[in-house]
Amino acid sequence: MLTTTQTSQGTIAAVAANFLYSLLFLFGLLMQPLSGTQVASWRVLMMLLSLVLLVSVLKQWQHIFDYLKTLKTPKEWFLFILPTPILGAQIWIFMWAPVNNLGLEVTLGYFLYPMIMIMVGRFFYNEAMTPLQWVATICAGLGIAYDVWQYGAISWATLFVCLGYPPYYLLRRKLAVPPITGLISDLVLLTPVVMVALYMSGGFALAITTDKFWYLLPLMGIISTAAMSLTMVASQKLPVSLFGTLCYLEPIFLFIFSITILHQSINEGGSVFMYGMIFVALLIMIADSALGYRARRRDDRLHGYNEPQVGSFPPRRRLTNRRIKGVLAAHRFRKIKRYQQKIDKMTRKIEQLHSK
């Protein structure tokens, strides 16, 4: 069971990580005259550098190589590489939108994303939805339906974000790709593309000749490294339900930054009614996660209770832990691959013996 100190440390780490991720949203403004696309390209390079340093410090390279060795067929490699352009597009719009007056629309996409993922889990993986999750999803749907009815459309940037990430995670889950392995592979594959883009657009020359980029670019890498490190600390110290609840802080920070620093009007991203329904849905989701956290703590306290339970004793609740399921699936995937390799090796030896 997690101690109160661990929970406090994990909470602080999660809040700090979400705040640092939100700060990256503002680098498009800080790094002008670079365009949003050039800033996104530089972010890929800085993220790769920071992630390489982080993996080296944590000595996780062997885990990455072990997983890559399990990819044998062209189909597996194709499915492994296929999500990379999706992540590249999401990094691009995250850095491009704030300098093109679409920061609020992108923020709305991040608000809707958790509810889209819940629906994906329900209809693609037959995962059960709690009553509160149904209510939250309906509230968000009503808000979007109102704007579509009132204005005839919803921002493409909002749809780009909330509908772009689910295919990425579905493809990653199909091969049970560990998060760090997937991210560093994506960044390596994106590096040649962004380097060509920076060279063709003059992004390298502009960064070299502008004094402020000599500290802004390393700062972007430092923030990325710190955010990723704090996220890993928080995921280890917090229960899954509480960790997931705190992840809602990032779109809240993005919303605040869009209104205060980017000076966008709330009406630019949609109607007040839609935002109201989205915030109601968000509060319901947070409440649902909090109830799940309380139930998990009660479940932990009851774990190991060997005496017969009387009628008045609170019943244990079995909660679905999606993250642990994903880790176990990845572990099973790697074990199956290793056993398959041994079987293939033994089969070849048997065939060689028969041929003699």
Side-chain angles (χ1 to χ4, degrees):
M1 183 183 294
L2 295 170
T3 65
T4 304
T5 302
Q6 286 179 311
T7 303
S8 300
Q9 292 172 348
T11 301
I12 294 171
V15 173
N18 283 283
F19 181 75
L20 290 176
Y21 278 127
S22 304
L23 283 182
L24 293 172
F25 195 59
L26 303 177
F27 266 77
L29 292 178
L30 296 174
M31 297 182 69
Q32 290 179 340
L34 287 177
S35 67
T37 302
Q38 290 172 330
V39 175
S41 300
W42 275 112
R43 186 189 172 190
V44 169
L45 297 179
M46 293 298 103
M47 283 178 65
L48 178 59
L49 177 61
S50 62
L51 193 57
V52 166
L53 293 173
L54 182 61
V55 172
S56 299
V57 170
L58 298 177
K59 299 179 180 179
Q60 296 293 309
W61 286 110
Q62 190 58 48
H63 295 287
I64 295 174
F65 295 142
D66 286 343
Y67 177 84
L68 294 177
K69 290 176 183 177
T70 66
L71 302 174
K72 297 296 184 182
T73 66
K75 180 182 177 181
E76 289 177 342
W77 277 105
F78 175 74
L79 292 175
F80 181 73
I81 296 173
L82 186 60
T84 298
I86 301 175
L87 181 66
Q90 293 298 328
I91 293 174
W92 167 76
I93 197 169
F94 187 83
M95 306 307 296
W96 178 87
V99 295
N100 289 275
N101 298 318
L102 289 173
L104 208 53
E105 288 84 344
V106 168
T107 299
L108 181 59
Y110 280 100
F111 275 126
L112 292 173
Y113 162 68
M115 279 154 276
I116 296 294
M117 287 300 293
I118 288 174
M119 299 304 294
V120 167
R122 173 64 183 86
F123 292 106
F124 280 85
Y125 295 101
N126 295 320
E127 295 178 351
M129 290 176 61
T130 66
L132 286 179
Q133 287 176 339
W134 276 111
V135 173
T137 304
I138 292 171
C139 288
L142 288 174
I144 294 172
Y146 173 81
D147 264 35
V148 172
W149 173 74
Q150 186 76 13
Y151 303 107
I154 189 171
S155 172
W156 68 269
T158 300
L159 296 176
F160 194 89
V161 171
C162 68
L163 299 180
Y165 270 118
Y168 176 84
Y169 288 112
L170 285 173
L171 290 167
R172 282 286 177 248
R173 180 167 178 170
K174 187 174 181 62
L175 290 181
V177 183
I180 294 296
T181 301
L183 181 57
I184 200 167
S185 301
D186 289 332
L187 295 175
V188 168
L189 293 170
L190 288 170
T191 295
V193 178
V194 301
M195 290 186 72
V196 170
L198 286 172
Y199 176 77
M200 297 295 291
S201 64
F204 283 122
L206 188 58
I208 292 172
T209 56
T210 306
D211 292 339
K212 66 177 182 179
F213 294 143
W214 288 89
Y215 63 86
L216 282 177
L217 288 174
L219 181 61
M220 186 160 56
I222 292 170
I223 292 176
S224 297
T225 306
M228 285 185 286
S229 302
L230 289 169
T231 300
M232 293 174 67
V233 170
S235 66
Q236 293 171 355
K237 291 183 177 291
L238 291 178
V240 176
S241 54
L242 181 56
F243 178 76
T245 302
L246 292 173
C247 288
Y248 292 120
L249 289 174
E250 183 179 351
I252 292 175
F253 287 138
L254 294 180
F255 181 81
I256 294 171
F257 290 160
S258 297
I259 297 296
T260 58
I261 299 176
L262 300 180
H263 303 295
Q264 282 196 266
S265 170
I266 192 171
N267 294 320
E268 293 180 29
S271 66
V272 175
F273 176 79
M274 183 182 70
Y275 274 106
M277 295 302 289
I278 297 296
F279 272 106
V280 168
L282 183 65
L283 291 175
I284 293 173
M285 293 286 290
I286 292 173
D288 182 69
S289 298
L291 290 174
Y293 173 56
R294 289 184 60 188
R296 176 172 292 282
R297 290 190 62 185
R298 184 173 64 196
D299 187 74
D300 288 339
R301 285 196 298 269
L302 292 175
H303 185 70
Y305 188 80
N306 296 320
E307 298 298 325
Q309 295 185 8
V310 297
S312 60
F313 203 87
R316 293 183 60 185
R317 293 179 61 183
R318 296 181 178 272
L319 301 176
T320 303
N321 191 327
R322 296 184 180 90
R323 181 159 298 182
I324 289 180
K325 275 190 173 182
V327 171
L328 292 176
H331 179 67
R332 287 195 299 270
F333 177 82
R334 290 193 294 271
K335 286 188 71 175
I336 291 171
K337 284 287 185 179
R338 286 198 297 268
Y339 287 134
Q340 187 62 51
Q341 289 173 358
K342 292 180 180 178
I343 292 172
D344 292 341
K345 187 176 180 180
M346 292 174 65
T347 303
R348 287 194 298 269
K349 288 183 177 181
I350 292 171
E351 289 175 352
Q352 289 173 1
L353 290 172
H354 280 300
S355 63
K356 290 181 179 180

